[in-house]
Amino acid sequence: MQLGVIGLGRMGRIVVDRLLAADHDVVAFDIDDEAVDEAANAGARPADSITDLAAKLDSADGKHVWLMVPAGDAVDAALEELEPSLSADDVVVDGGNSYFEDSVRRAESCPAAYLDCGTSGGPAGAELGFSLMIGGPADAYQRLTPAFDAVATGPDGHERMGPAGSGHYVKMIHNGVEYALMQAYGEGFELLHEGRYDLDLENVASVWNNGAVIRSWLLELCEEAFREEGNDLGDVADRVEGGSTGTWTVQEGLEQEVPLPLIYTALGERFGSRADDGRFSRRLASRLRYGFGRHTVPRRE
Amino acid sequence: MQLGVIGLGRMGRIVVDRLLAADHDVVAFDIDDEAVDEAANAGARPADSITDLAAKLDSADGKHVWLMVPAGDAVDAALEELEPSLSADDVVVDGGNSYFEDSVRRAESCPAAYLDCGTSGGPAGAELGFSLMIGGPADAYQRLTPAFDAVATGPDGHERMGPAGSGHYVKMIHNGVEYALMQAYGEGFELLHEGRYDLDLENVASVWNNGAVIRSWLLELCEEAFREEGNDLGDVADRVEGGSTGTWTVQEGLEQEVPLPLIYTALGERFGSRADDGRFSRRLASRLRYGFGRHTVPRRE
Amino acid sequence: MQLGVIGLGRMGRIVVDRLLAADHDVVAFDIDDEAVDEAANAGARPADSITDLAAKLDSADGKHVWLMVPAGDAVDAALEELEPSLSADDVVVDGGNSYFEDSVRRAESCPAAYLDCGTSGGPAGAELGFSLMIGGPADAYQRLTPAFDAVATGPDGHERMGPAGSGHYVKMIHNGVEYALMQAYGEGFELLHEGRYDLDLENVASVWNNGAVIRSWLLELCEEAFREEGNDLGDVADRVEGGSTGTWTVQEGLEQEVPLPLIYTALGERFGSRADDGRFSRRLASRLRYGFGRHTVPRRE
Amino acid sequence: MQLGVIGLGRMGRIVVDRLLAADHDVVAFDIDDEAVDEAANAGARPADSITDLAAKLDSADGKHVWLMVPAGDAVDAALEELEPSLSADDVVVDGGNSYFEDSVRRAESCPAAYLDCGTSGGPAGAELGFSLMIGGPADAYQRLTPAFDAVATGPDGHERMGPAGSGHYVKMIHNGVEYALMQAYGEGFELLHEGRYDLDLENVASVWNNGAVIRSWLLELCEEAFREEGNDLGDVADRVEGGSTGTWTVQEGLEQEVPLPLIYTALGERFGSRADDGRFSRRLASRLRYGFGRHTVPRRE
C-alpha cells in the first residue's frame, strides 16, 4: 500500500526501510534534506514539504501518513501543515512517544482518522520489527494492517488496544515498567559486583539468559554491555538521562491512586544521578547527626 | 556418564529424565518409594537407601551424586548418610536452593569435591533445560560437564561462577532480581487494569512479547496467566508466599552496604500481602489523622 | 483590628475564637446559619451573606477578610461573591489548604491584596494557636500582623515565606513530610508490636517523648492513640483516607526532579490501604510463582 | 546511692555529671587516665582499673555498675574484668548501643542482675537528661530508680520495657525510626530548596516548630543546622556515616516479616551516599539505554 512517512530520524528511517522491504510505496519527508535524499536512495519517493508529500499520495482509497517526529510541538507543527490536505477518508498514524492526552486531543481535531501508535524495540527493530500498540478507530487500524505487519515483527507484533490515546497509554506504562526492570537488573549486578565473589558478570548474564527465570531481552543487553564495556563498565558515568515517560506513568498512578513504588524508585534514581551538587536531603541528614549526637560531619574539600 | 540422583521431587525428577534422555546411567533414590518406582520405570536404576545408591555407583573414576532435596536440614541429613561412602575422587552436586554460606561450610567438610549448583528455570526446564550457576573446584566442574550439558539448556546453560558457594550466591541474587521483576510487571499491569482504558491484558502482554523492549520469559508467563485466569485474574488471592532467597539477598545487600530498594520493596509487598490483620503501621497512621485533624477513623465492622 | 471570617467549620471557628480572645472585632459568615449563630454567641458580629459581611466591615483603613473554606471550588465561589466589594486597599487571607497554583491565579485576579496562608496545627490549635505560612505582598502581611499574632501561637508562629503561592507551597510540602513521619512512626510501632517482646506501646511512646531524639508532637499523638485505643489499636481499620496534599507534593517533586521516596511510599501505603479488592500487582506476582515454579496459588474463598 | 561508671566518653561523662548533680556517690573509671582525672575534678572518686572500681564500691546492699563503653567487644572486655568482683546482689547497667541479642547473652552469663539500657538524647541530654529504655529484672530496675531518675529527664524519662534485651531492642527500633524521620525532613527541605520559591529554610523550620503538626526536636535541629551552616548547608558533604542500628532494625524486620520501606530507604540513602565510585546499578541502567535506544551514554572524564 501507499504511505507517506514524515520524520526520517533513526526510528522513522527504519519505518521507511521496513515498508519498502515489504514492497509498499513510500513517500518520505524530513526537514533535513539529506535524510530525504538517503530515503530516496533507499527507494522512497522524496517530498520537499509536507504539502508536497500529501500531494504525492493517491487520494482514491484515502491517504495514509505515518508521523515519526519527536513528541510534543513537532507533532502539532506537522499536523498543522498536513491537515489542510486531509479528509475523513485518510488515516494518520503517530508513531512517536506522544503523551496520550495529546493524542486524544489530536484525534478529536484531526480531519482524518487518527491512530496513536506506541512503538517499542529501538534500533534493533530494524531487523526484528517493532512492537506496535495502537489506539483509535478499528476500521482505520484494519485498513493499515499491511503496513503494521511490515513495520512490526509481523502480525503478532501489533495490536489495537482500544480507542484514541490507548496506544500511547500502553506505551507510556511499558516504559515505566522498563525503568523498573533496568533498575532491578542494576541492583542485582551491583550486588554481584560489590559482593563476596570475584565474578565475571558477562558470564553471569549469559548463563541466566540460557534458561533462567529472569531471562529477557534487557538481560541480553546487560550481557552485551559487560562484553563491550568490561566487567566494571569502564568509564560509563553514574548519570541516567531521560525520564519523561516514566514521569507520566507515575503521574497517572497518582491520578488512579495506584502505588508504583518500583517504578517511582527507578525514576528517582535517575533524578538522583543528576544531582550534581549532591543530595540536599542527605546533606541535611548528615548535619543532623551532628545536631543530636555530635558525630563528625564530612565536609566538601 | 554415571550419576546418582538423590531427591525425586518435581525438580529432581526432571534432572533424572534429562540425564536419561542424554543416555547417562542414573541411580535414583528418594525417601518416597513411589517416586523411586516411577524413576525406575523411566529408566533409572532404583536405590532403596542413600548407602545403596552409593554402592551402586562405580568407584573407578569417582562417584557422582546430584542432590535435589529441599534447602536446609534435608541437605545435611542426606550428606550425613552419604559421606561415609565418599572419597576425594568423588563429586557431589547440590542443585537445590541452599544458602551459600551453608554450601561453603559443606564444601569444607565434605570428603568429596563439592559443587554448589543454583538451578533456575522451574518445571519448564523439563523441555528446555535449566540454567545452572555452579561454584566449586574447576576440575570437578570440568568432569561433570557431560551431565551439566544434559541438565542445562546445553553447553551455554551452565557456567562455573567461582569457588565454593558462588553458584548458590549467584542464584540467590537471581531470585532477588526475580522478585523485583515480578513486582515491576505487576505494577504496570495494575495500572493498566485500574486505569483509563478497558484493556485486554493478554493482548497487551502478547504485543509486548513481540518486539518490545520489556519482552521476557516472565512476560510470557503474564500472558499465560491472563489467558488462563482471565483479565481480572479470577479468584487469585492477594497473598504472595515464599521469600527466603529474597530475604537472603537483602541481608547480603545490608552486609555489603549495597542498597536494593526495588528488591526490598518487592519482598515487603510479599510480607504485606500476608498481614492478615491489616498493617499496624497504616492503622496507626489513620488514627494519627484523627489525633491532629479530627479526621474520621474508619473502623472494622 | 477588624476582620471578616468566611467559613465557620472546625478550623474557621478556632480562627474566630482566637481573634475574639485577642479583642479583635470579628464579622462572621457561614452558609450554615447555625454556625453563624454560634459565632455570634461567642462574640462575633453575624453576617447573613458574604456581601453583608463586606458591608459590615469598615472601609476606612481597608477591609480584612479571612477565608476558611474547603480548598477548591468553595474558595472561588466565595471570592466571586466577595470581589465586587473589594478594592486595592483591602486584604484577603486564604487560610485553607488550597493548591499553590490556584493561589497564584487568585492573587493575580483579586482586586485586593491576597495572602495565601498555610495553616497547621489542627483542632489542638484552639488552645495553642496555629503555625501560619504566609505568601503574598509584604505590606499586606505586615498590616495583618496583629491578627496573625492572635491566630498563630504568637509572633513566632507566623512568617511570610515569599510571594504569592509560597505560603500554600510550604504548607503542601509540610503535609508531604507529615505523611512520611506518620508512616515512619508506624513502621517502628509495627515492628515493636509484631516483634520479639510483649511491649506496652504507650509506655514506649511516653519514654521516647521524654528526652529521646525522635520526640515530637506526632509521637505524643501516638502515645494518646495507644492510651485511647489500646495496645492493639482496637478496631481501627487498615484504611488511611486523604492524600491530596501528599499527591501535590509528589507531583511537584516530579516537576523539580527531586526524588521523594519516603513521601511517595507513605502516600502509596494510603492508596494501597484502600484497594478493597486486593492489590492486582501482588495477585499477578502470586500467579507468576505458579507460572515458573508450579507453586500453589492461594485462592479467594 | 553509690554507682561505679565505666567509660567516660561524651555520654559516660554526662552520666557521671548527672549522678553527681543528684548527690549520688560515683566511682569513675576509663582507660584514658585524663578522663578519670576530669571526672575526679568534677567530684567522682577515681578508680585506676575496673577491679579497683569494684573494690571501691560498698557491697553491703549490692554494687551498682554503669557501663558506658562502645557497643561490641569493649562491653565484653569490661564485663570479663568486672565479673570476678560481682555477685547476685549486684546490678550492672549497659547504657551503650549494644545489639539486643548480645544483651540477652550477657544477661544470662552475668553473675549480677543485668539491665540493658537504651539511651537516647545525645549530648543535649547533659542539660535535659536522657530517655532510658530498660530491659531486665524488675527488682533490679526498681533498685536503681534513683540513679535512673537522675540520668533520665526525670521519673518520666525511664521505663522498664520488659525482660533482658528489651531495652536495647526498643532503642534499636528508635534509631531505625530516627533514620526515617531525618530522611523525611531531608526530602521536604530538598524540595523546598530546589523548588519554585527562594525560601529561607531556617524561617520555614522555625514557623513549623511553632505549632505545626510536624514540629519535633529533630526539626529544631534542622533550624539550628540552617542557622549555623546557611541556607545551602555550606560545605556539608553528601555523605552520611553510621548505620549499624538501622541495619539491625531492617534485619529484625526481615526476621519478623514486617516491611519497613521508609527505614530501609533511609538506610539505603546512607549507603548510596558512600558509593564513592558511583552507583553501579545506575551506570548499568544508563548503558542499557544505549543498548535498546542508542541514547548517548554520559562518560566519566
Side-chain angles (χ1 to χ4, degrees), chain B residues 132-151:
Chain B
L132 302 179
M133 302 139 243
I134 299 160
D139 53 346
Y141 169 69
Q142 208 56 44
R143 232 168 84 201
L144 261 74
T145 295
F148 292 142
D149 285 348
V151 174

Side-chain angles (χ1 to χ4, degrees), chain A residues 131 164 187 197 207 252 262, chain B residues 131 164 187 196-197 207 252 262:
Chain A
S131 169
E187 288 186 0
Y197 294 92
V207 78
E252 177 65 5
L262 276 72
Chain B
S131 169
E187 288 187 359
R196 301 195 190 209
Y197 293 93
V207 78
E252 177 66 4
L262 276 71

Side-chain angles (χ1 to χ4, degrees), chain A residues 279-292 295 297, chain D residues 178-179 181-187 218 222 225 233 236-237 239-241 266 269-270:
Chain A
R279 295 289 312 281
F280 197 78
S281 53
R282 303 196 297 211
R283 296 172 62 215
L284 179 57
S286 179
R287 184 50 170 69
L288 291 176
R289 296 183 73 243
Y290 172 81
F292 65 71
H295 299 287
V297 179
Chain D
E178 178 189 290
Y179 288 31
L181 300 183
M182 287 164 67
Q183 190 62 27
Y185 286 117
E187 288 186 0
L218 279 169
C222 292
L233 290 178
V236 173
R239 183 178 183 87
V240 195
E241 301 291 354
E269 289 292 328
R270 295 193 180 196

Side-chain angles (χ1 to χ4, degrees), chain B residues 69-79 94 97-99 102 105-106 248:
Chain B
V69 301
D73 294 343
V75 179
D76 287 316
L79 285 173
D94 174 10
N97 253 335
S98 296
Y99 184 52
D102 289 337
R105 171 178 56 77
R106 288 166 189 153
W248 298 339

Side-chain angles (χ1 to χ4, degrees), chain A residues 10 122-123 178 182 190 228-229 232 234-238 269 279 281-283 285 287 292-293 298-300, chain D residues 10 122 178 182 190 228-229 232 234-238 269 279 281-283 285 287 292-293 298-300:
Chain A
R10 198 184 294 130
E178 179 189 289
M182 287 163 67
E190 182 167 329
E228 295 181 358
E229 303 284 349
D232 296 315
D235 62 352
V236 173
D238 178 1
E269 289 292 328
R279 295 289 312 281
S281 53
R282 303 196 297 211
R283 296 172 62 215
R287 184 50 170 69
F292 65 71
R299 301 278 171 175
R300 289 168 169 170
Chain D
R10 199 185 293 130
E178 178 189 290
M182 287 164 67
E190 181 167 330
E228 296 180 358
E229 303 284 349
D232 296 316
D235 62 352
V236 173
D238 178 1
E269 289 292 328
R279 297 287 312 281
S281 53
R282 305 196 298 211
R283 295 172 64 216
R287 184 49 170 70
F292 65 72
R299 300 279 172 175
R300 289 169 169 170

Side-chain angles (χ1 to χ4, degrees), chain D residues 85-107:
Chain D
S85 312
L86 296 179
S87 74
D89 294 332
D90 304 330
V91 182
V92 173
V93 177
D94 174 10
N97 253 334
S98 297
Y99 184 54
F100 75 97
E101 294 196 335
D102 288 337
S103 297
V104 171
R105 169 178 57 76
R106 288 166 188 152

